[in-house]
Amino acid sequence: MARSKGSTSTVSNFAAALRQTFSDSRILCVGITQACFEGAMYSFVFMWTPAVSSRDLNSTPPFGLIFSTFMLCSMAGSQCFSICIKKGFSPEYILKVTLIVSAISLSLGPVDSIIGTNWQYPGFLLFEVCVGFYFPSMGTLKGKVVPDDNRATIYNIFRIPLNIVVLVVLLGKFSVQTTFLLCTLLLSFAACLQLFVATI
């Protein structure tokens, strides 16, 4: 009997959180933005190794050193976020700029494959800087937009489209550059959503 009441309470809480998410366009846009950015980020995590390896088939890239530079850039982004907040920039503005720059950074891979430049790795570093900016910006924005009473459930709802995005990208067996092009489109869409949220 107690288990049945617990299950009923869980279902009712989930239904209430779902209604809140779809009834408030700001919450919905924040959830979709999270799915787009983090879906692109997790796709990048899986695809950067083959992307770097394809540059020179005759040698093995220094993966450890490359990963270290990624982490350094991500940390630098987080530190720069704090500086920007102290300078008076709002988290909403920082997030919009972050999404636009991240879309540009991952587009450098496909552009690189077309015109034969060497912008892919600098683009990856720039994307990691954006990752450092993204998490404190999104965390602050979610804290403002998502109501306290159903916060945990709504955060879990946000993960549903995120997991769908990652599965589609990874199971689609796209080429490396096609994957980065899809990530660019996701990030561009997320940037457009945040521009729309600013008008609400």
Side-chain angles (χ1 to χ4, degrees), residues 16-32 141-142 144-149 154 157-158 193 196-197 200:
L18 204 59
R19 283 194 299 271
Q20 274 188 314
T21 300
F22 283 96
S23 63
D24 189 331
S25 56
R26 294 182 305 162
I27 298 177
L28 186 61
C29 287
V30 166
I32 297 174
L141 183 59
K142 287 194 297 185
K144 291 181 178 180
V145 171
V146 180
D148 291 335
D149 52 344
I154 290 175
I157 291 173
F158 286 173
L193 278 179
F196 169 72
V197 169
I200 301 174

mmCIF file of all heavy atoms in Angstrom, residues 16-32 141-142 144-149 154 157-158 193 196-197 200:
data_model
loop_
_atom_site.group_PDB
_atom_site.id
_atom_site.type_symbol
_atom_site.label_atom_id
_atom_site.label_comp_id
_atom_site.label_asym_id
_atom_site.label_seq_id
_atom_site.Cartn_x
_atom_site.Cartn_y
_atom_site.Cartn_z
ATOM 1 N N ALA A 16 3.207 17.043 -12.844
ATOM 2 C CA ALA A 16 3.191 18.467 -12.487
ATOM 3 C C ALA A 16 4.410 19.194 -13.061
ATOM 4 O O ALA A 16 4.295 20.315 -13.577
ATOM 5 C CB ALA A 16 3.152 18.623 -10.970
ATOM 6 N N ALA A 17 5.570 18.549 -12.982
ATOM 7 C CA ALA A 17 6.786 19.155 -13.532
ATOM 8 C C ALA A 17 6.697 19.280 -15.049
ATOM 9 O O ALA A 17 7.142 20.274 -15.637
ATOM 10 C CB ALA A 17 7.997 18.307 -13.146
ATOM 11 N N LEU A 18 6.105 18.285 -15.686
ATOM 12 C CA LEU A 18 5.949 18.316 -17.134
ATOM 13 C C LEU A 18 5.027 19.462 -17.555
ATOM 14 O O LEU A 18 5.303 20.183 -18.527
ATOM 15 C CB LEU A 18 5.393 16.972 -17.619
ATOM 16 C CG LEU A 18 5.667 16.564 -19.063
ATOM 17 C CD1 LEU A 18 7.155 16.491 -19.329
ATOM 18 C CD2 LEU A 18 5.014 15.218 -19.361
ATOM 19 N N ARG A 19 3.948 19.651 -16.797
ATOM 20 C CA ARG A 19 3.020 20.752 -17.092
ATOM 21 C C ARG A 19 3.714 22.106 -16.914
ATOM 22 O O ARG A 19 3.542 23.016 -17.733
ATOM 23 C CB ARG A 19 1.793 20.665 -16.183
ATOM 24 C CG ARG A 19 0.790 19.600 -16.597
ATOM 25 C CD ARG A 19 -0.540 19.787 -15.869
ATOM 26 N NE ARG A 19 -0.394 19.688 -14.412
ATOM 27 C CZ ARG A 19 -0.479 18.549 -13.740
ATOM 28 N NH1 ARG A 19 -0.728 17.407 -14.387
ATOM 29 N NH2 ARG A 19 -0.351 18.537 -12.421
ATOM 30 N N GLN A 20 4.500 22.219 -15.857
ATOM 31 C CA GLN A 20 5.221 23.473 -15.632
ATOM 32 C C GLN A 20 6.201 23.758 -16.766
ATOM 33 O O GLN A 20 6.337 24.898 -17.214
ATOM 34 C CB GLN A 20 5.986 23.419 -14.308
ATOM 35 C CG GLN A 20 5.166 23.812 -13.091
ATOM 36 C CD GLN A 20 6.027 23.923 -11.856
ATOM 37 O OE1 GLN A 20 6.859 23.047 -11.585
ATOM 38 N NE2 GLN A 20 5.842 24.974 -11.076
ATOM 39 N N THR A 21 6.871 22.714 -17.230
ATOM 40 C CA THR A 21 7.864 22.891 -18.287
ATOM 41 C C THR A 21 7.223 23.398 -19.569
ATOM 42 O O THR A 21 7.726 24.332 -20.216
ATOM 43 C CB THR A 21 8.590 21.555 -18.551
ATOM 44 O OG1 THR A 21 9.236 21.117 -17.357
ATOM 45 C CG2 THR A 21 9.626 21.710 -19.659
ATOM 46 N N PHE A 22 6.087 22.802 -19.944
ATOM 47 C CA PHE A 22 5.460 23.167 -21.212
ATOM 48 C C PHE A 22 4.563 24.398 -21.107
ATOM 49 O O PHE A 22 4.209 24.987 -22.136
ATOM 50 C CB PHE A 22 4.660 21.976 -21.754
ATOM 51 C CG PHE A 22 5.518 20.916 -22.376
ATOM 52 C CD1 PHE A 22 5.917 19.811 -21.641
ATOM 53 C CD2 PHE A 22 5.950 21.029 -23.685
ATOM 54 C CE1 PHE A 22 6.722 18.831 -22.205
ATOM 55 C CE2 PHE A 22 6.765 20.069 -24.261
ATOM 56 C CZ PHE A 22 7.151 18.961 -23.524
ATOM 57 N N SER A 23 4.221 24.800 -19.908
ATOM 58 C CA SER A 23 3.382 25.990 -19.749
ATOM 59 C C SER A 23 4.201 27.270 -19.652
ATOM 60 O O SER A 23 3.667 28.368 -19.815
ATOM 61 C CB SER A 23 2.502 25.858 -18.503
ATOM 62 O OG SER A 23 3.299 25.786 -17.326
ATOM 63 N N ASP A 24 5.499 27.140 -19.390
ATOM 64 C CA ASP A 24 6.378 28.306 -19.277
ATOM 65 C C ASP A 24 7.415 28.234 -20.392
ATOM 66 O O ASP A 24 8.293 27.363 -20.378
ATOM 67 C CB ASP A 24 7.052 28.323 -17.908
ATOM 68 C CG ASP A 24 7.803 29.621 -17.634
ATOM 69 O OD1 ASP A 24 8.272 30.254 -18.591
ATOM 70 O OD2 ASP A 24 7.917 29.994 -16.446
ATOM 71 N N SER A 25 7.305 29.139 -21.355
ATOM 72 C CA SER A 25 8.205 29.083 -22.518
ATOM 73 C C SER A 25 9.657 29.299 -22.119
ATOM 74 O O SER A 25 10.568 28.785 -22.784
ATOM 75 C CB SER A 25 7.783 30.126 -23.556
ATOM 76 O OG SER A 25 7.743 31.421 -22.986
ATOM 77 N N ARG A 26 9.907 30.020 -21.041
ATOM 78 C CA ARG A 26 11.295 30.228 -20.604
ATOM 79 C C ARG A 26 11.920 28.921 -20.125
ATOM 80 O O ARG A 26 13.074 28.607 -20.464
ATOM 81 C CB ARG A 26 11.349 31.282 -19.503
ATOM 82 C CG ARG A 26 10.950 32.676 -19.928
ATOM 83 C CD ARG A 26 11.080 33.627 -18.766
ATOM 84 N NE ARG A 26 10.318 33.148 -17.611
ATOM 85 C CZ ARG A 26 10.505 33.579 -16.365
ATOM 86 N NH1 ARG A 26 11.432 34.477 -16.105
ATOM 87 N NH2 ARG A 26 9.765 33.104 -15.374
ATOM 88 N N ILE A 27 11.151 28.150 -19.339
ATOM 89 C CA ILE A 27 11.661 26.861 -18.868
ATOM 90 C C ILE A 27 11.898 25.927 -20.045
ATOM 91 O O ILE A 27 12.934 25.243 -20.130
ATOM 92 C CB ILE A 27 10.672 26.218 -17.873
ATOM 93 C CG1 ILE A 27 10.503 27.090 -16.630
ATOM 94 C CG2 ILE A 27 11.151 24.825 -17.462
ATOM 95 C CD1 ILE A 27 9.486 26.563 -15.638
ATOM 96 N N LEU A 28 10.962 25.898 -20.979
ATOM 97 C CA LEU A 28 11.085 25.019 -22.139
ATOM 98 C C LEU A 28 12.305 25.388 -22.975
ATOM 99 O O LEU A 28 13.068 24.503 -23.408
ATOM 100 C CB LEU A 28 9.812 25.099 -22.980
ATOM 101 C CG LEU A 28 9.710 24.143 -24.169
ATOM 102 C CD1 LEU A 28 9.769 22.690 -23.703
ATOM 103 C CD2 LEU A 28 8.422 24.412 -24.945
ATOM 104 N N CYS A 29 12.511 26.677 -23.194
ATOM 105 C CA CYS A 29 13.655 27.115 -23.996
ATOM 106 C C CYS A 29 14.979 26.799 -23.311
ATOM 107 O O CYS A 29 15.953 26.407 -23.964
ATOM 108 C CB CYS A 29 13.552 28.613 -24.279
ATOM 109 S SG CYS A 29 12.291 29.052 -25.493
ATOM 110 N N VAL A 30 15.011 26.952 -21.988
ATOM 111 C CA VAL A 30 16.228 26.621 -21.243
ATOM 112 C C VAL A 30 16.527 25.124 -21.352
ATOM 113 O O VAL A 30 17.678 24.716 -21.550
ATOM 114 C CB VAL A 30 16.090 27.040 -19.762
ATOM 115 C CG1 VAL A 30 17.180 26.403 -18.913
ATOM 116 C CG2 VAL A 30 16.153 28.552 -19.635
ATOM 117 N N GLY A 31 15.476 24.284 -21.254
ATOM 118 C CA GLY A 31 15.669 22.838 -21.372
ATOM 119 C C GLY A 31 16.171 22.432 -22.745
ATOM 120 O O GLY A 31 17.068 21.589 -22.874
ATOM 121 N N ILE A 32 15.602 23.030 -23.790
ATOM 122 C CA ILE A 32 16.042 22.709 -25.157
ATOM 123 C C ILE A 32 17.454 23.213 -25.395
ATOM 124 O O ILE A 32 18.268 22.545 -26.040
ATOM 125 C CB ILE A 32 15.056 23.298 -26.184
ATOM 126 C CG1 ILE A 32 13.678 22.671 -26.020
ATOM 127 C CG2 ILE A 32 15.574 23.073 -27.601
ATOM 128 C CD1 ILE A 32 12.600 23.291 -26.881
ATOM 129 N N LEU A 141 21.227 30.593 -14.853
ATOM 130 C CA LEU A 141 19.954 30.821 -15.546
ATOM 131 C C LEU A 141 18.884 29.835 -15.086
ATOM 132 O O LEU A 141 17.727 30.221 -14.846
ATOM 133 C CB LEU A 141 20.167 30.703 -17.059
ATOM 134 C CG LEU A 141 18.946 30.978 -17.940
ATOM 135 C CD1 LEU A 141 18.411 32.385 -17.692
ATOM 136 C CD2 LEU A 141 19.294 30.794 -19.415
ATOM 137 N N LYS A 142 19.250 28.565 -14.939
ATOM 138 C CA LYS A 142 18.277 27.575 -14.466
ATOM 139 C C LYS A 142 17.818 27.892 -13.045
ATOM 140 O O LYS A 142 16.651 27.684 -12.697
ATOM 141 C CB LYS A 142 18.883 26.165 -14.526
ATOM 142 C CG LYS A 142 19.019 25.621 -15.942
ATOM 143 C CD LYS A 142 19.287 24.126 -15.960
ATOM 144 C CE LYS A 142 20.568 23.747 -15.308
ATOM 145 N NZ LYS A 142 20.866 22.289 -15.447
ATOM 146 N N LYS A 144 17.365 30.775 -11.851
ATOM 147 C CA LYS A 144 16.405 31.874 -11.931
ATOM 148 C C LYS A 144 15.067 31.439 -12.527
ATOM 149 O O LYS A 144 14.011 31.919 -12.111
ATOM 150 C CB LYS A 144 16.975 33.010 -12.796
ATOM 151 C CG LYS A 144 18.148 33.750 -12.195
ATOM 152 C CD LYS A 144 18.605 34.854 -13.143
ATOM 153 C CE LYS A 144 19.759 35.648 -12.559
ATOM 154 N NZ LYS A 144 20.213 36.719 -13.482
ATOM 155 N N VAL A 145 15.113 30.547 -13.516
ATOM 156 C CA VAL A 145 13.929 30.225 -14.318
ATOM 157 C C VAL A 145 13.131 29.052 -13.748
ATOM 158 O O VAL A 145 11.898 29.079 -13.714
ATOM 159 C CB VAL A 145 14.335 29.940 -15.777
ATOM 160 C CG1 VAL A 145 13.161 29.396 -16.588
ATOM 161 C CG2 VAL A 145 14.877 31.200 -16.434
ATOM 162 N N VAL A 146 13.825 28.021 -13.291
ATOM 163 C CA VAL A 146 13.150 26.791 -12.853
ATOM 164 C C VAL A 146 12.655 26.955 -11.425
ATOM 165 O O VAL A 146 13.424 27.317 -10.533
ATOM 166 C CB VAL A 146 14.101 25.580 -12.955
ATOM 167 C CG1 VAL A 146 13.402 24.310 -12.492
ATOM 168 C CG2 VAL A 146 14.606 25.412 -14.385
ATOM 169 N N PRO A 147 11.364 26.693 -11.154
ATOM 170 C CA PRO A 147 10.814 26.846 -9.798
ATOM 171 C C PRO A 147 11.382 25.814 -8.834
ATOM 172 O O PRO A 147 11.703 24.684 -9.219
ATOM 173 C CB PRO A 147 9.307 26.636 -10.010
ATOM 174 C CG PRO A 147 9.197 25.843 -11.271
ATOM 175 C CD PRO A 147 10.338 26.283 -12.136
ATOM 176 N N ASP A 148 11.480 26.209 -7.576
ATOM 177 C CA ASP A 148 12.092 25.352 -6.553
ATOM 178 C C ASP A 148 11.290 24.081 -6.278
ATOM 179 O O ASP A 148 11.874 23.033 -6.001
ATOM 180 C CB ASP A 148 12.257 26.128 -5.240
ATOM 181 C CG ASP A 148 13.307 27.222 -5.345
ATOM 182 O OD1 ASP A 148 14.201 27.089 -6.194
ATOM 183 O OD2 ASP A 148 13.232 28.196 -4.581
ATOM 184 N N ASP A 149 9.952 24.162 -6.363
ATOM 185 C CA ASP A 149 9.132 23.032 -5.919
ATOM 186 C C ASP A 149 9.312 21.786 -6.782
ATOM 187 O O ASP A 149 9.194 20.665 -6.295
ATOM 188 C CB ASP A 149 7.649 23.425 -5.870
ATOM 189 C CG ASP A 149 7.161 24.045 -7.171
ATOM 190 O OD1 ASP A 149 8.010 24.441 -7.994
ATOM 191 O OD2 ASP A 149 5.931 24.141 -7.358
ATOM 192 N N ILE A 154 12.235 18.630 -12.983
ATOM 193 C CA ILE A 154 12.372 19.353 -14.253
ATOM 194 C C ILE A 154 13.779 19.172 -14.822
ATOM 195 O O ILE A 154 13.954 18.998 -16.034
ATOM 196 C CB ILE A 154 12.040 20.846 -14.054
ATOM 197 C CG1 ILE A 154 10.538 21.017 -13.785
ATOM 198 C CG2 ILE A 154 12.441 21.661 -15.285
ATOM 199 C CD1 ILE A 154 10.119 22.432 -13.449
ATOM 200 N N ILE A 157 13.776 15.981 -16.533
ATOM 201 C CA ILE A 157 13.062 16.076 -17.807
ATOM 202 C C ILE A 157 13.967 16.666 -18.881
ATOM 203 O O ILE A 157 13.947 16.231 -20.035
ATOM 204 C CB ILE A 157 11.780 16.926 -17.642
ATOM 205 C CG1 ILE A 157 10.761 16.173 -16.782
ATOM 206 C CG2 ILE A 157 11.168 17.280 -18.996
ATOM 207 C CD1 ILE A 157 9.536 16.989 -16.420
ATOM 208 N N PHE A 158 14.798 17.641 -18.495
ATOM 209 C CA PHE A 158 15.746 18.244 -19.441
ATOM 210 C C PHE A 158 16.678 17.192 -20.041
ATOM 211 O O PHE A 158 17.140 17.336 -21.178
ATOM 212 C CB PHE A 158 16.601 19.300 -18.737
ATOM 213 C CG PHE A 158 15.881 20.583 -18.417
ATOM 214 C CD1 PHE A 158 16.499 21.563 -17.665
ATOM 215 C CD2 PHE A 158 14.586 20.813 -18.872
ATOM 216 C CE1 PHE A 158 15.848 22.753 -17.365
ATOM 217 C CE2 PHE A 158 13.915 22.000 -18.570
ATOM 218 C CZ PHE A 158 14.555 22.967 -17.818
ATOM 219 N N LEU A 193 17.303 30.303 -29.690
ATOM 220 C CA LEU A 193 16.351 30.156 -28.585
ATOM 221 C C LEU A 193 16.624 31.167 -27.479
ATOM 222 O O LEU A 193 15.697 31.768 -26.930
ATOM 223 C CB LEU A 193 16.408 28.740 -28.010
ATOM 224 C CG LEU A 193 15.632 27.655 -28.725
ATOM 225 C CD1 LEU A 193 15.844 26.320 -28.025
ATOM 226 C CD2 LEU A 193 14.138 27.972 -28.786
ATOM 227 N N PHE A 196 15.467 34.453 -28.370
ATOM 228 C CA PHE A 196 14.009 34.515 -28.227
ATOM 229 C C PHE A 196 13.625 34.698 -26.766
ATOM 230 O O PHE A 196 12.713 35.492 -26.446
ATOM 231 C CB PHE A 196 13.386 33.227 -28.769
ATOM 232 C CG PHE A 196 11.919 33.073 -28.432
ATOM 233 C CD1 PHE A 196 10.968 33.851 -29.049
ATOM 234 C CD2 PHE A 196 11.516 32.154 -27.468
ATOM 235 C CE1 PHE A 196 9.615 33.721 -28.720
ATOM 236 C CE2 PHE A 196 10.171 32.013 -27.136
ATOM 237 C CZ PHE A 196 9.228 32.796 -27.776
ATOM 238 N N VAL A 197 14.305 33.998 -25.865
ATOM 239 C CA VAL A 197 14.012 34.125 -24.435
ATOM 240 C C VAL A 197 14.214 35.566 -23.965
ATOM 241 O O VAL A 197 13.469 36.071 -23.114
ATOM 242 C CB VAL A 197 14.914 33.170 -23.614
ATOM 243 C CG1 VAL A 197 14.816 33.461 -22.130
ATOM 244 C CG2 VAL A 197 14.516 31.721 -23.881
ATOM 245 N N ILE A 200 11.100 37.672 -24.188
ATOM 246 C CA ILE A 200 9.914 37.327 -23.397
ATOM 247 C C ILE A 200 9.827 38.210 -22.150
ATOM 248 O O ILE A 200 10.810 38.357 -21.441
ATOM 249 C CB ILE A 200 9.937 35.831 -22.991
ATOM 250 C CG1 ILE A 200 9.984 34.955 -24.238
ATOM 251 C CG2 ILE A 200 8.767 35.481 -22.132
ATOM 252 C CD1 ILE A 200 10.142 33.475 -23.934
#
